Amino acid sequence: SITRDNSKRNKNSPKEGSESMASAIFILDMKGKPLIQKSYRNDIHPGIIDNFAQYAIDEDEANMKPIFEHNGVMFAYIKHANVYFVVVTKINSNISMLFEFLTRTIQVLTGYFDKVEEESVRDNFCMIYELLDEMMDWGYPQFTETNILKEYITQQSYKLRATDDLDDATKAAPTNIITGQSGITWRKTGIKYRKNEVYLDVVEKINLLVNANGETINSEIHGTLKMKCHLSGMPELKLGLNDKLLFDTSGRRSKGRTVDLEDIKFHQCVKINRFESDRNITFIPPDGEFDLMTYRLNTKVKPIINVEAQVQQFGQSRLEYMVKCKSNFKAASTASDVKIHIPVPPDADSPHFKASTGTATYKPEGDCILWTMKVLPGGKECMMRATFGLPTIRSAEQEKAPSQSGKKPIKVEFEIPYFVVSGLHVRYCKVMEKGGYNACPWVRYITRAGDYQVRMN
């Protein structure tokens, strides 16, 4: 591991008014007890974190603010699994950058340990201290790319696994970590593959709220371009999308549908200036898997899978549910792993189900019916009937249970491969490298349910 002497850095450090400084980083358990504490500027007392612990104890989790100030010290935190990642600063720092650093820290630790939780933090505290020393210097973020950090910090129990496709010479060769001439810290030099391939997944999650009449109340699409690159050398990739702004500014006509992307966020490898000038995504990719781009579309979307539920109560002893599910996408596509959660009263019992497709089960821990279908072709309509018994003697609160459960929405989960709701399309993916090899780009489209809810009558 490369270590740095912060005391030497003090003389040449940027001015105190810089906007991206952190005084310390803490990792705490759910009780606020420090598991890891790393001070970068020695301008705060380690006991300052007790104020966050007291805040976490006093406040309900739902009311906790991600940023708060106490006696001139600013606290910002992210909760991940059963630990808190907390950054502390004494100046008016760029809070977005500090949150981004915490997010990158979680991503790096996940790259090393798979699951970041209290137990894994305790088991790997030596490595975490080394990582924090490399990732931030004198309170300023440095290297946050997992692939690069794995070249710096290797321990016996977490050695890098050699890729089967890499040449033996590449595996044995010493690594040149940073290509300093171009400032590319996310990719090492000297990478060689026998077969050069690029995999690109366009993954869209749809958040949808539908009323009982099947009309869309609110809809939003969140998309991610996920890449996996196995390319030799230092290639440059050029990616073109059916971006509406591209055709509007160039005056060209699109042969198909165009998409107006919002809230675009790129990986650091993308050349932003090139994108702003010609709307083409040009970049030198990291080796392996990474998220190239995220985007959002705030557009009205019709329900992809519509669910209607009619509830009828017979006296005080029986409830009947009639649930209809209809897929509104084209027959050429098929949804997989469809799960529909229909809320029921908490004291319902004696369930009986009959489904035309898939299977229905009662989940008492969630007070719901779970209707699952492995596949649901486009344009298909399915029915499910469920009956429940109710206690003969019920309290006033239990009498209101059917109406209360009816206020909860139906939740739907699904995945549709080879299909995207927005109509986003990859027009081309070019690989340019000095070696002149041929690379095989593969593109796949996937739509998944995000927060997909349907209100009941």
Side-chain angles (χ1 to χ4, degrees):
S1 172
I2 298 175
T3 58
R4 301 179 177 88
D5 187 352
N6 286 343
S7 61
K8 295 180 181 179
R9 175 68 182 270
N10 192 17
K11 295 179 181 179
N12 300 319
S13 62
K15 296 179 180 180
E16 293 298 322
S18 296
E19 297 181 350
S20 56
M21 261 190 287
S23 296
I25 300 288
F26 296 87
I27 304 178
L28 315 175
D29 62 16
M30 294 304 293
K31 296 180 180 178
K33 183 179 179 181
L35 305 173
I36 299 290
Q37 51 184 20
K38 176 66 176 175
S39 178
Y40 292 102
R41 300 181 58 80
N42 299 323
D43 58 349
I44 62 167
H45 190 276
I48 195 72
I49 197 62
D50 293 340
N51 295 311
F52 178 86
Q54 191 63 42
Y55 177 74
I57 293 172
D58 293 343
E59 292 286 341
D60 292 335
E61 185 174 346
N63 297 327
M64 287 183 66
K65 299 177 181 179
I67 310 164
F68 70 93
E69 184 266 344
H70 181 81
N71 290 340
V73 178
M74 189 69 67
F75 295 81
Y77 78 93
I78 294 177
K79 181 185 176 185
H80 181 83
N82 58 351
V83 291
Y84 290 108
F85 286 78
V86 185
V87 61
V88 179
T89 180
K90 289 191 72 175
I91 66 170
N92 186 18
S93 297
N94 184 333
I95 199 65
S96 297
M97 180 172 287
L98 296 181
F99 273 117
E100 178 66 18
F101 180 79
L102 291 179
T103 303
R104 293 286 186 94
T105 302
I106 295 170
Q107 291 173 353
V108 168
L109 298 186
T110 303
Y112 274 88
F113 319 136
D114 293 334
K115 293 184 178 180
V116 180
E117 52 190 25
E118 181 180 345
E119 185 177 355
S120 63
V121 170
R122 291 183 184 276
D123 292 342
N124 301 282
F125 70 93
C126 288
M127 183 179 289
I128 294 175
Y129 275 113
E130 289 190 57
L131 287 168
L132 291 177
D133 188 51
E134 298 298 338
M135 293 175 67
M136 183 170 278
D137 183 22
W138 195 244
Y140 296 90
Q142 303 294 315
F143 302 130
T144 58
E145 289 293 328
T146 306
N147 291 339
I148 299 301
L149 287 167
K150 281 186 176 180
E151 299 294 338
Y152 280 122
I153 301 171
T154 56
Q155 290 190 11
Q156 187 173 0
S157 58
Y158 294 97
K159 286 183 179 180
L160 294 173
R161 292 177 293 177
T163 307
D164 294 338
D165 290 339
L166 286 172
D167 291 338
D168 294 337
T170 303
K171 296 175 186 177
T175 308
N176 184 4
I177 303 299
I178 303 175
T179 55
Q181 70 276 9
S182 56
I184 300 171
T185 60
W186 55 86
R187 184 180 180 90
K188 62 184 181 181
T189 59
I191 298 174
K192 293 182 181 178
Y193 284 95
R194 292 192 181 98
K195 189 176 182 181
N196 294 283
E197 295 180 313
V198 179
Y199 301 91
L200 174 60
D201 285 350
V202 180
V203 182
E204 291 189 346
K205 288 188 176 181
I206 177 170
N207 298 334
L208 196 68
L209 178 60
V210 183
N211 64 17
N213 298 322
E215 299 171 348
T216 301
I217 300 174
N218 186 30
S219 62
E220 194 175 53
I221 298 171
H222 291 268
T224 306
L225 269 61
K226 296 179 175 289
M227 294 200 77
K228 183 177 181 180
C229 291
H230 289 166
L231 297 173
S232 304
M234 194 65 63
E236 183 176 81
L237 274 66
K238 192 173 183 180
L239 194 69
L241 307 174
N242 58 335
D243 184 5
K244 184 176 184 296
L245 188 57
L246 167 65
F247 290 95
D248 289 346
T249 54
S250 63
R252 290 184 293 168
R253 290 186 178 181
S254 173
K255 295 180 180 179
R257 179 180 175 184
T258 58
V259 179
D260 190 9
L261 302 176
E262 303 175 23
D263 294 343
I264 300 174
K265 181 181 178 183
F266 289 112
H267 187 275
Q268 68 185 85
C269 66
V270 176
K271 298 178 181 179
I272 302 297
N273 292 338
R274 294 276 294 273
F275 177 77
E276 291 176 347
S277 63
D278 59 15
R279 299 296 288 186
N280 289 315
I281 304 171
T282 307
F283 59 100
I284 296 175
D287 187 45
E289 299 181 11
F290 66 101
D291 290 349
L292 175 66
M293 164 185 162
T294 60
Y295 60 91
R296 180 180 64 87
L297 282 87
N298 190 11
T299 182
K300 191 169 184 179
V301 179
K302 294 181 180 179
I304 299 177
I305 295 179
N306 199 20
V307 181
E308 298 178 11
Q310 299 293 332
V311 186
Q312 189 172 3
Q313 183 170 349
F314 298 91
Q316 300 296 322
S317 60
R318 189 164 67 92
L319 275 178
E320 182 177 275
Y321 288 76
M322 292 295 295
V323 184
K324 181 173 71 173
C325 170
K326 183 178 180 181
S327 55
N328 295 325
F329 47 89
K330 294 181 180 180
S333 300
T334 301
S336 60
D337 298 325
V338 179
K339 297 179 181 179
I340 303 174
H341 304 258
I342 304 109
V344 299
D347 59 344
D349 57 19
S350 306
H352 179 73
F353 305 103
K354 185 177 181 181
S356 61
T357 304
T359 58
T361 55
Y362 175 46
K363 298 292 181 181
E365 67 276 9
D367 296 329
C368 69
I369 303 166
L370 177 58
W371 185 12
T372 59
M373 290 169 273
K374 291 185 178 180
V375 293
L376 179 62
K380 186 173 181 180
E381 187 173 296
C382 308
M383 299 290 296
M384 190 272 293
R385 180 173 177 267
T387 57
F388 287 89
L390 296 173
T392 54
I393 300 176
R394 313 181 77 205
S395 64
E397 289 76 12
Q398 289 174 325
E399 289 290 345
K400 298 178 182 178
S403 60
Q404 292 295 328
S405 63
K407 292 181 180 180
K408 296 180 181 179
I410 298 170
K411 296 183 179 180
V412 186
E413 302 174 39
F414 59 84
E415 180 175 299
I416 308 176
Y418 314 110
F419 172 81
V420 285
V421 184
S422 67
L424 184 71
H425 177 67
V426 178
R427 295 165 45 232
Y428 59 83
C429 181
K430 299 178 181 179
V431 180
M432 297 164 283
E433 211 277 333
K434 293 180 180 179
Y437 56 73
N438 293 323
C440 302
W442 302 87
V443 182
R444 183 174 60 171
Y445 301 90
I446 304 171
T447 292
R448 293 174 180 154
D451 186 10
Y452 195 109
Q453 299 182 357
V454 181
R455 289 179 177 173
M456 298 175 61
N457 282 323

